[in-house]
Amino acid sequence: MKFFINKLIFVIILSSISKISLSHEFWIDPVKYHLKNNEIINAAVFIGDSFEGTQIGFSKKYFKNLNLFSKDKKKKIKGRMGDFPALNIKEIFSGLNIIQVESKMNYIDYKGLLKFEVFSRKKGYRNLVDTHKENNYPDNFVESYKRYAKSMVSVDNFDGNDVDTNMELELIFLDNPLKNLNESKRVLLEYQNKILADHQVLIMSVKGDNFKKEFLKTNDEGYIEYFFKKGTKYLIDSVVIIEGSNKKKDNYAKWHSLWASYTLKTPDL
């Protein structure tokens, strides 16, 4: 009976993921971004678009790496099949806590080029469909993708710094974004542990009923500079699209996309 229930939960999770997979955006949304040391981090994981999406439950068959970082400390995040919210972390650290989630490989079947063209242009790859045609790839094809998400949560105070968690595609704060909000903050973009210059970064922000989207480009040193406003929730997103493996084990995927996201909420003070 227990096996049947777990199997049913997993089927529901995968069904939800497949229905919204073309939305792609993947982010962590803690119930509370600022906690006391006797509290638990409860954080949902969403797939969707523009801060609107479907919450997915915990599944070892979908999540590959889940960790909590604070300064030089690292703790593996555990969960139970079907947990909603997906992440429930009891052992937390004083200061900044960085949640890291890496997905396993996933796949999308495209029927025609229109949706792929809209997606790739939206993410800064304006001529990718032309390259697709030049390569004589079919209109119906497979794209593989992986998702890399981080979220910043404070406990008792805002002391500390972001952590390079060594994901293949990663956004890293070079400055603490929860302190000194009258100063701009640098956000570095790394791909395979190297800076990624002149690359699109999308910043979405929500404060009350106000939603805003801003498109930026990393500079020659691989980072953007941005003024974060108080009492605002942010979702930072960047995507890299490369040639797929085109191998049987990857469903002969012609393209492979990597998604990096970062969520945080600035304090009201």
Side-chain angles (χ1 to χ4, degrees):
M1 185 65 178
K2 184 178 179 181
F3 172 80
F4 174 77
I5 293 173
N6 287 342
K7 189 75 172 177
L8 180 61
I9 291 171
F10 179 60
V11 168
I12 292 171
I13 291 170
L14 286 189
S15 176
S16 299
I17 292 169
S18 64
K19 287 178 182 177
I20 54 178
S21 59
L22 286 172
S23 300
H24 277 305
E25 281 171 18
F26 172 85
W27 69 95
I28 305 164
D29 191 14
V31 175
K32 292 176 66 176
Y33 282 82
H34 308 298
L35 302 94
K36 301 296 183 183
N37 63 9
N38 60 346
E39 295 183 285
I40 295 172
I41 295 177
N42 301 119
V45 177
F46 283 89
I47 300 176
D49 184 63
S50 299
F51 258 131
E52 294 184 357
T54 298
Q55 184 179 166
I56 63 174
F58 183 89
S59 170
K60 290 182 179 179
K61 294 187 178 181
Y62 185 75
F63 298 129
K64 182 179 179 182
N65 290 319
L66 301 95
N67 296 289
L68 183 70
F69 293 84
S70 182
K71 298 176 183 175
D72 57 347
K73 299 170 183 150
K74 176 182 176 181
K75 179 177 174 58
K76 189 173 183 63
I77 299 172
K78 298 179 181 179
R80 297 180 302 175
M81 175 76 78
D83 273 355
F84 283 94
L87 309 178
N88 300 280
I89 309 167
K90 295 181 179 179
E91 186 179 335
I92 56 181
F93 308 101
S94 177
L96 298 189
N97 288 247
I98 312 301
I99 306 169
Q100 172 215 43
V101 174
E102 176 184 347
S103 80
K104 292 189 176 180
M105 188 79 81
N106 290 276
Y107 303 93
I108 294 176
D109 288 298
Y110 283 99
K111 305 299 182 184
L113 290 175
L114 180 59
K115 287 183 178 179
F116 182 71
E117 181 171 15
V118 171
F119 148 62
S120 57
R121 289 175 67 88
K122 180 181 175 183
K123 296 305 178 182
Y125 291 80
R126 302 188 64 83
N127 302 312
L128 200 59
V129 166
D130 293 336
T131 304
H132 186 97
K133 293 176 180 178
E134 290 167 5
N135 290 346
N136 293 316
Y137 290 159
D139 289 356
N140 299 337
F141 64 98
V142 173
E143 173 204 340
S144 60
Y145 64 92
K146 288 192 70 175
R147 291 164 167 154
Y148 305 88
K150 294 171 73 177
S151 186
M152 181 178 289
V153 176
S154 72
V155 179
D156 288 335
N157 60 71
F158 306 129
D159 295 338
N161 296 290
D162 196 6
V163 177
D164 184 344
T165 69
N166 202 37
M167 293 189 289
E168 188 170 9
L169 183 66
E170 183 165 2
L171 292 156
I172 304 166
F173 277 94
L174 300 180
D175 309 294
N176 185 327
L178 304 185
K179 299 175 98 175
N180 303 318
L181 294 179
N182 60 326
E183 301 173 359
S184 65
K185 309 299 178 182
R186 298 167 298 162
V187 187
L188 181 70
L189 181 61
E190 281 190 348
Y191 172 53
Q192 296 182 339
N193 292 314
K194 295 179 181 178
I195 65 168
L196 196 55
D198 192 33
H199 198 81
Q200 180 174 292
V201 174
L202 168 63
I203 297 184
M204 291 166 275
S205 59
V206 174
K207 184 175 183 179
D209 295 328
N210 297 318
F211 173 78
K212 189 177 182 180
K213 268 187 177 182
E214 298 170 86
F215 292 90
L216 298 88
K217 282 280 188 79
T218 56
N219 61 17
D220 291 342
E221 296 179 49
Y223 65 83
I224 59 169
E225 281 195 77
Y226 187 82
F227 280 94
F228 291 87
K229 298 179 180 178
K230 67 179 182 179
T232 304
K233 185 160 70 171
Y234 290 92
L235 168 57
I236 310 171
D237 171 272
S238 191
V239 175
V240 167
I241 308 175
I242 60 174
E243 292 276 356
S245 74
N246 209 17
K247 294 180 180 179
K248 183 178 180 179
K249 68 180 180 69
D250 287 321
N251 298 334
Y252 299 103
K254 303 305 182 200
W255 299 102
H256 177 65
S257 59
L258 303 91
W259 295 71
S261 72
Y262 209 130
T263 50
L264 68 149
K265 185 178 181 181
T266 52
D268 293 322
L269 299 177

